[in-house]
Amino acid sequence: MFEKILFPTDFSDVAKKALSFVKQLRTAGAEEVTVMHVLDQSSLDTLSAIRSVPDYLTIEKDLEARASEEMKFIENELKEVGYKVTTRIEKGFPIREILRIADEGNFSVIVIGSHGKSNIQEMLLGSVSEKVVRKAKNPVLVVKR
Ligand code: ATP
Ligand code: MN
């Protein structure tokens, strides 16, 4: 039922909670996880508008390096509990990239946090989780904050 999981993460606390849930799904027959992170194109665009080119390139490199570090960490954690792991870092609009990857692989389930970095108290769901629930063809398991 949960053989192949797609786990999109923004490395937030809520996504960390979703990660611990992914780990537990191993005992429910899950075998394989694709962990993905999207470097948000709109944040990068804002950055490039307010910084000089060399500054922007340094910050972008730094963001990429930090994302790969976080990814490596998650990959190891998941391998420790016996998962076959694929990691992907994409650049673009998070919702679009998540839906694109979801369509590519035949995932049994998408595990996602209800909220992410913004974590606004009044919101029932963040914009990414809301769109994924709305638009993905796969079942979606939303881990609440
Ligand atoms: P918003 O971004 O709308 O201000 P938020 O940050 O609280 O709200 P979302 O961005 O919807 O909430 O995050 C919900 C979940 O979606 C996260 O826990 C994570 O699983 C996934 N997610 C969010 N952003 C990304 C991203 N850039 N790359 C991969 N997964 C993401
Ligand atoms: Mn967000």
Side-chain angles (χ1 to χ4, degrees):
M1 189 177 188
F2 297 121
E3 292 91 332
K4 193 178 169 197
I5 298 170
L6 177 63
F7 172 51
T9 176
D10 63 350
F11 310 125
S12 62
D13 288 346
V14 187
K16 287 204 173 91
K17 203 172 160 195
L19 170 65
S20 74
F21 205 88
V22 170
K23 282 198 210 161
Q24 293 175 60
L25 284 176
R26 183 82 185 99
T27 60
E31 301 278 353
E32 220 179 308
V33 188
T34 294
V35 189
M36 67 172 294
H37 175 71
V38 186
L39 292 159
D40 192 343
Q41 190 60 54
S42 26
S43 316
L44 294 174
D45 289 346
T46 309
L47 205 60
S48 78
I50 58 172
R51 294 299 187 102
S52 66
V53 173
D55 268 10
Y56 169 73
L57 291 174
T58 310
I59 300 170
E60 189 187 25
K61 280 256 141 29
D62 185 56
L63 286 171
E64 284 170 5
R66 269 196 276 172
S68 347
E69 242 173 70
E70 295 265 19
M71 258 320 185
K72 208 74 251 115
F73 206 78
I74 294 172
E75 182 180 4
N76 289 337
E77 271 189 61
L78 289 171
K79 280 185 170 162
E80 259 169 38
V81 296
Y83 272 115
K84 177 169 182 261
V85 185
T86 305
T87 63
R88 312 187 55 147
I89 297 178
E90 308 291 335
K91 208 178 286 180
F93 297 98
I95 293 160
R96 192 188 297 171
E97 291 306 307
I98 293 167
L99 292 171
R100 184 173 67 79
I101 306 293
D103 275 345
E104 273 178 13
N106 49 329
F107 296 98
S108 349
V109 64
I110 302 172
V111 178
I112 200 163
S114 61
H115 300 80
K117 282 258 154 82
S118 315
N119 200 7
I120 297 166
Q121 210 49 47
E122 292 74 26
M123 299 296 284
L124 176 63
L125 289 171
S127 59
V128 175
S129 39
E130 187 191 329
K131 285 280 177 4
V132 170
V133 169
R134 233 190 251 283
K135 296 199 161 159
K137 297 185 188 81
N138 323 58
V140 181
L141 201 157
V142 179
V143 177
K144 291 169 81 173
R145 62 185 162 195

